[in-house]
């Protein structure tokens, strides 16, 4: 609870804002950081360039002073440091402070200057103040036991540095403002497709109409957002098909249920007036009522299974398909005693749910028996294709499948013109294909050579078993 309270009480600056705002802030921060880094780098470059020029002048002045006064005693050599236009001022500094001249020099003498005079330290530059003015001083070796200090006014360098600083600060501020404008523009332009995608999703959620689509750019201008929009359109298409299929299922189911429910009501009303019926009439009405109840119950059960559009996922086991096919054939012989079933099977094992596979094979056999004319057999053959994939074919010698009916054979409630007078609801093959897909199998229909229909159920090849990798031991050992 305490952790949840801390999350609820998090400050506002830690909360995630809209994506557009976060993107604008990210772009602004990135461009502003680059602008600040460039301005700071430019400041140091300008300052170093100005001081480098001043140091070059000091070095030349020190060389000239050493050439003109090679044996000068400690003290002031030349120059006046109070004026900006004056030449460089210079003085000689001894290593021993006791040898300093009585009159103090123009330039300050630091302990480091004594070390340069003694030869224990390299020449160096330093910033000093002379008569209240900034100056740059070079301390270098001069002669045995002496050092030379040369100074130049650095007012121009300091002024140039300050001016460059102001200009760079203004440039950095302008860069930050420009970064903010660019960040906002980039966020609005870059997220425009996402905004359209969001608006379309909200519109579909409000209208519950999946027929809407997002307009895509012409070919050749695809990007990640375009791919996302294309995937969203594909999802909408699948959703539209699903909604249409569900609506069609409800409409077809209501149409198919209307006739048996009407017959049920009629027979129930007849039985309600049983005192007016003869014994034979009551028996016929009761038998018809029971038969219609069974038909309605079967139809409702089939509708429930098909409406799920998915197979249940109980424990899958290895099923001997050849034994299952023979068992289903025996059940079909009992249900269709006038039809001959010729069964040829080869040993085959597939992973699946035995009850669902039995329903699949039973539907195929019932469909073939329903169309099989008297005296002609239903041929059932289970073989193994190349790679070990089991294949089951069920062939009848009936009227076959017309070319215009072939694309709709597995649709729910679809019944060809030649089958409208036969028993059934038109859900058997639709359920068979659904079960086949749930078991990674393919169910197809085609006209059989010489007449009749041929239904082909093809399973995937079995996977090659792989042993344990750690020395032949199982993971549990």
């Amino acid at each position: 609870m305490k952790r949840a309270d801390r999350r609820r009480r998090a400050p506002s600056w830690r909360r995630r804002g809209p994506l557009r705002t976060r993107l604008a802030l990210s772009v602004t921060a990135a461009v502003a950081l680059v602008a600040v880094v460039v301005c700071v780098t430019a400041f140091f470059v300008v300052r170093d360039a100005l001081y480098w020029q001043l140091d070059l002048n000091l070095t030349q002045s020190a060389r000239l002073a050493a050439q003109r006064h090679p044996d000068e005693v400690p003290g002031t050599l030349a120059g006046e440091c109070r004026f900006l236009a004056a030449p460089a001022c210079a003085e000689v500094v001894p290593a021993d402070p006791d040898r300093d001249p009585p009159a103090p020099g123009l330039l300050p003498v630091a302990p480091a200057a004594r070390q340069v005079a003694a030869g224990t330290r390299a020449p160096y530059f330093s910033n000093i103040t002379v008569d209240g003015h900034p100056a740059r001083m070079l301390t270098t070796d001069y002669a045995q036991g002496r050092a030379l200090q040369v100074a130049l006014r650095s007012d121009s360098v300091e002024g140039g540095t300050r001016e460059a600083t102001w200009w760079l600060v203004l440039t950095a501020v302008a860069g930050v403002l420009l970064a903010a404008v660019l960040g906002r523009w980039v966020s609005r332009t870059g997220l425009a497709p996402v905004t359209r995608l969001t608006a379309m999703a909200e519109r579909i959620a409000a209208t519950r109409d999946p027929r809407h689509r997002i307009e895509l750019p012409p070919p050749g201008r695809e990007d990640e957002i375009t791919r996302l929009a294309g995937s969203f359109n594909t999802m909408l298409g699948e959703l539209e098909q699903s909604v249409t299929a569900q609506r069609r299922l409800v409409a077809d189911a209501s149409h198919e249920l209307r006739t048996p429910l009407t017959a049920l009501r009629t027979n129930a009303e007849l039985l309600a007036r049983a005192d007016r019926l003869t014994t034979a009439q009551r028996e016929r009405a009761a038998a018809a009522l029971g038969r219609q109840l069974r038909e309605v119950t079967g139809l409702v059960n089939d509708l429930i299974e098909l409406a799920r559009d998915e197979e249940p996922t109980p424990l899958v086991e290895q099923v001997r398909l050849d034994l299952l096919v023979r068992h289903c054939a025996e059940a079909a012989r009992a249900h269709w005693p006038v039809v001959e079933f010729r069964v040829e099977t080869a040993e085959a094992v597939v992973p699946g749910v035995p009850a669902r596979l039995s329903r699949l094979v039973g539907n195929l056999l019932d469909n073939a028996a329903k169309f099989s004319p008297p005296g002609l057999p239903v041929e059932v053959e289970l073989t193994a294709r190349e790679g070990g994939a089991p294949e089951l074919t069920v062939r009848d010698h009936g009227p076959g499948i017309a070319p215009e009916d072939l694309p709709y054979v597995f649709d729910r409630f679809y019944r060809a013109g030649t089958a409208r007078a036969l028993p059934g609801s038109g859900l058997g093959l639709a359920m068979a294909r659904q079960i086949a897909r749930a078991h990674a199998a393919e169910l197809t229909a085609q006209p059989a050579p010489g007449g009749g229909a041929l239904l082909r159920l093809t399973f995937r090849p079995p996977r090659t078993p792989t042993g344990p990798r750690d020395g032949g031991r199982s993971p549990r050992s």
Side-chain angles (χ1 to χ4, degrees):
M1 293 296 294
K2 294 181 179 180
R3 184 175 300 176
D5 292 341
R6 285 197 297 268
R7 285 198 296 265
R8 286 195 294 267
R9 297 173 185 172
S12 58
W13 61 270
R14 294 180 59 186
R15 300 170 187 167
R16 296 174 64 87
L19 178 60
R20 177 179 297 179
T21 302
R22 287 186 279 126
L23 180 60
L25 291 177
S26 300
V27 174
T28 301
V31 178
L33 179 62
V34 172
V36 170
V37 170
V38 169
C39 290
V40 171
T41 304
F43 166 77
F44 285 107
V45 170
V46 170
R47 190 191 65 172
D48 291 345
L50 293 175
Y51 273 109
W52 178 82
Q53 184 65 35
L54 186 60
D55 293 344
L56 184 60
N57 292 337
L58 284 173
T59 303
Q60 293 175 351
S61 298
R63 187 179 300 112
L64 292 175
Q67 291 175 357
R68 293 176 182 176
H69 310 282
D71 299 322
E72 188 66 30
V73 297
T76 301
L77 290 182
E80 179 62 58
C81 294
R82 289 180 299 175
F83 304 103
L84 184 61
C89 54
E91 67 180 18
V92 178
V93 178
D96 187 2
D98 296 335
R99 299 180 59 187
D100 285 348
L106 298 174
L107 304 175
V109 179
R114 308 287 184 183
Q115 297 174 4
V116 173
T120 59
R121 179 170 177 166
Y124 67 93
F125 293 94
S126 59
N127 294 321
I128 62 174
T129 301
V130 179
D131 293 334
H133 300 285
R136 182 79 165 171
M137 183 175 67
L138 168 63
T139 303
T140 184
D141 51 351
Y142 181 66
Q144 185 66 31
R146 288 172 292 177
L148 178 63
Q149 292 189 147
V150 182
L152 282 174
R153 290 275 296 275
S154 59
D155 302 65
S156 59
V157 174
E158 296 293 335
T161 302
R162 284 193 298 271
E163 185 177 359
T165 300
W166 281 109
W167 279 109
L168 291 175
V169 168
L170 292 177
T171 302
V173 172
V176 172
L177 295 178
L178 179 62
V181 174
L182 290 177
R184 181 175 178 81
W185 178 78
V186 168
S187 65
R188 294 186 60 181
T189 304
L191 294 180
V194 179
T195 303
R196 292 196 299 268
L197 186 63
T198 304
M200 181 61 66
E202 293 174 348
R203 182 179 180 185
I204 294 173
T207 61
R208 298 181 178 273
D209 186 1
R211 292 177 297 178
H212 299 288
R213 295 294 185 271
I214 299 175
E215 184 178 356
L216 300 179
R221 298 176 57 186
E222 293 85 359
D223 54 13
E224 290 78 4
I225 302 298
T226 303
R227 291 171 54 191
L228 176 61
S231 300
F232 191 75
N233 285 343
T234 302
M235 182 188 67
L236 289 177
E238 295 293 335
L239 179 61
E240 182 182 3
Q241 291 181 4
S242 177
V243 171
T244 303
Q246 293 295 333
R247 290 174 178 173
R248 187 169 58 246
L249 174 62
V250 172
D252 293 341
S254 62
H255 176 73
E256 292 291 333
L257 286 171
R258 186 178 295 113
T259 300
L261 288 177
T262 302
L264 278 174
R265 184 178 62 185
T266 302
N267 289 321
E269 291 175 352
L270 284 175
L271 289 177
R273 298 191 296 269
D275 53 342
R276 303 179 184 179
L277 302 177
T278 64
T279 303
Q281 290 175 336
R282 286 197 299 270
E283 292 177 353
R284 285 197 300 270
L289 184 63
R291 182 176 63 255
Q292 290 156 1
L293 281 174
R294 288 191 297 272
E295 292 179 359
V296 171
T297 302
L299 178 60
V300 171
N301 290 335
D302 292 344
L303 285 173
I304 292 174
E305 293 187 9
L306 285 173
R308 283 197 305 252
D309 205 26
E310 292 182 354
E311 284 294 303
T313 56
L315 181 64
V316 176
E317 58 183 87
Q318 297 296 321
V319 181
R320 280 285 301 272
L321 190 59
D322 54 322
L323 300 181
L324 185 142
V325 169
R326 291 190 174 277
H327 175 75
C328 292
E330 292 297 328
R333 290 189 182 98
H335 187 65
W336 303 89
V338 298
V339 178
E340 179 187 0
F341 290 88
R342 296 179 183 176
V343 182
E344 295 182 6
T345 60
E347 183 176 346
V349 179
V350 295
V353 184
R356 305 299 292 164
L357 290 175
S358 297
R359 184 67 179 273
L360 166 60
V361 177
N363 285 0
L364 297 182
L365 296 180
D366 287 343
N367 181 80
K370 182 169 59 176
F371 289 98
S372 183
L376 294 178
V378 172
E379 301 172 4
V380 183
E381 184 178 6
L382 177 62
T383 59
R385 301 179 60 192
E386 184 179 356
E391 182 179 80
L392 175 67
T393 58
V394 178
R395 186 223 171 133
D396 63 70
H397 294 269
I401 305 174
E404 61 272 13
D405 295 329
L406 192 59
Y408 311 103
V409 168
F410 297 102
D411 287 355
R412 299 165 180 170
F413 296 108
Y414 182 79
R415 306 183 72 181
T418 57
R420 298 189 184 278
L422 298 177
S425 61
L427 296 177
L429 291 183
M431 186 177 300
R433 169 168 279 190
Q434 179 172 299
I435 299 173
R437 289 177 175 174
H439 287 78
E442 182 182 5
L443 179 61
T444 58
Q446 64 188 66
L454 177 64
L455 298 175
R456 188 184 307 274
L457 177 65
T458 305
F459 291 86
R460 289 182 179 178
R463 296 182 179 180
T464 303
T466 56
R469 298 181 179 180
D470 50 350
R473 295 180 299 172
S474 65
R476 297 184 180 181
S477 61

